[in-house]
Amino acid sequence: MVQRSSLAVPYQVPVLAVCFLAGIATGLELSVNNHAADFALSTVPAPAVSLSCLVQNSSQAEELLWYRGDGQVDLRDGNKVNISNICIAPVTESDNGVTFSCRLARDKSVQVSVVLDVLFPPHLSGEESFHIEEEKDVTMSCNAKANPQAQAAWYKNNTILSLQQNRYQLYQTSEVAELTIQKVQKSDNGTYTCMVKSSLGEGRKDFHLIVEDKKPVFPTEAVIAAAVVVTLTILFGVIARRDKVFKCFKRSSETAL
C-alpha cells in the first residue's frame, strides 16, 4: 500500500496578508484639530496656539513628524507616536501665511497641513518728507500691512485727491499703496495723506511734499570738452617753453659755480 505525503499549508501567511489588506481598507489617515483635510486656522496675535495631530484607523504605533514650512520641528520622544502636539508661542503678525504640516513618518504623503491666517488691523510706515525739484517725478509709498487687506484712499490737504491730467498714478498691493506724481509743479506743494481701512480698523499717514526750484543744468559734454582744451593748452605751453626753462636752469647752475 502506497502512502501519500501531503505538505502543510502555511495558514499564517494568508492570515497576515488578510490583516494587512484589512488595514489598508480601513484607510489610515491623520487629523489636526479634528480636521482630516488641509485647512486655514484664523486667529489674532496671541500668546500661544496649539495644534494636535492624531492617527486614525490604525492598530499599530505610528510615528508622526511636524514641519514648519520646509523645516522639521524638533519633538520630544513622548510626543511622536499616534498623537503629537505642538505649541506656537507667541503667534505674531509675521506668522501670517505660515504652513504647519503633520506627516506620517513612514509615508510622508499622508499629511494634513494648516495655514495660519493671522488677523490684524492696518499698520502704516514710510518716508514722510520729500524735497523734489520741479519737473521731476515723485513716488510716495504708504506701507500698509493688514489682514484682511485694507483699501487705500489719498487726500491732499484733507481733500480727496482727484486724478487729473493723468499726472497722478495709484498702485496698491496687499502691503503697499503708492501715489506717483509725474513732473511735479509748485502747485503740488502740500500734505498728502494715505487713509487705509479694513474690517478690523483704520489708519492714516501724512507725507509732506516740498517742490523746489529747478536747478540750472550745465551741459556736461561742453564742460568736459572745455576742461580737455584747457589741459592740452597748458601741456603744449609747457612743452613749447621747456628749452627756455632748461637754458635758464643751466645758466643758473653755471653762475653758482
Side-chain angles (χ1 to χ4, degrees):
M1 183 175 183
V2 180
Q3 294 182 348
R4 297 180 179 178
S5 61
S6 61
L7 297 176
V9 179
Y11 292 103
Q12 292 182 346
V13 174
V15 171
L16 290 175
V18 171
C19 291
F20 178 73
L21 292 174
I24 295 177
T26 56
L28 183 149
E29 63 180 20
L30 305 180
S31 67
V32 174
N33 290 15
N34 297 321
H35 291 267
D38 298 345
F39 68 101
L41 177 61
S42 296
T43 180
V44 296
V49 167
S50 297
L51 299 177
S52 180
C53 183
L54 177 67
V55 177
Q56 296 180 334
N57 302 327
S58 177
S59 59
Q60 65 182 32
E62 297 286 357
E63 182 181 357
L64 297 173
L65 305 174
W66 275 102
Y67 287 82
R68 177 189 171 103
D70 295 328
Q72 187 171 344
V73 178
D74 291 332
L75 300 174
R76 294 182 179 179
D77 290 338
N79 189 29
K80 297 181 179 181
V81 179
N82 288 347
I83 185 170
S84 181
N85 301 294
I86 61 172
C87 182
I88 308 165
V91 177
T92 66
E93 297 168 5
S94 62
D95 292 317
N96 184 47
V98 175
T99 300
F100 288 85
S101 301
C102 179
R103 302 175 185 176
L104 198 66
R106 65 180 176 87
D107 184 0
K108 295 183 178 61
S109 65
V110 180
Q111 67 170 9
V112 175
S113 296
V114 185
V115 178
L116 293 186
D117 181 29
V118 184
L119 307 175
F120 54 92
H123 297 307
L124 307 184
S125 63
E127 186 178 352
E128 298 180 352
S129 183
F130 297 86
H131 294 259
I132 305 296
E133 293 181 26
E134 284 185 285
E135 299 299 322
K136 289 190 175 181
D137 298 346
V138 62
T139 297
M140 288 169 272
S141 296
C142 180
N143 299 320
K145 293 187 63 177
N147 186 32
Q149 180 177 343
Q151 297 300 315
W154 286 89
Y155 293 76
K156 179 185 178 184
N157 298 329
N158 297 321
T159 302
I160 189 70
L161 188 64
S162 58
L163 306 181
Q164 56 184 350
Q165 300 175 359
N166 294 325
R167 292 198 308 117
Y168 296 153
Q169 295 181 352
L170 299 180
Y171 173 77
Q172 183 174 2
T173 67
S174 60
E175 294 190 354
V176 66
E178 291 183 345
L179 168 64
T180 297
I181 306 177
Q182 297 179 334
K183 296 183 178 181
V184 296
Q185 305 169 0
K186 286 287 187 178
S187 59
D188 293 320
N189 273 314
T191 299
Y192 293 80
T193 303
C194 172
M195 294 283 296
V196 296
K197 294 183 179 180
S198 75
S199 58
L200 297 180
E202 61 183 51
R204 61 175 288 163
K205 187 169 185 61
D206 292 334
F207 300 86
H208 306 287
L209 176 60
I210 300 173
V211 181
E212 300 176 339
D213 292 334
K214 189 176 182 180
K215 296 179 181 179
V217 178
F218 294 98
T220 306
E221 295 81 0
V223 172
I224 295 175
V228 171
V229 171
V230 171
T231 302
L232 292 176
T233 301
I234 295 174
L235 180 61
F236 290 150
V238 172
I239 294 173
R241 299 188 58 184
R242 66 178 180 178
D243 292 338
K244 295 182 179 180
V245 172
F246 289 155
K247 289 179 181 179
C248 182
F249 177 76
K250 184 176 181 180
R251 290 175 182 175
S252 299
S253 299
E254 292 175 351
T255 303
L257 293 176

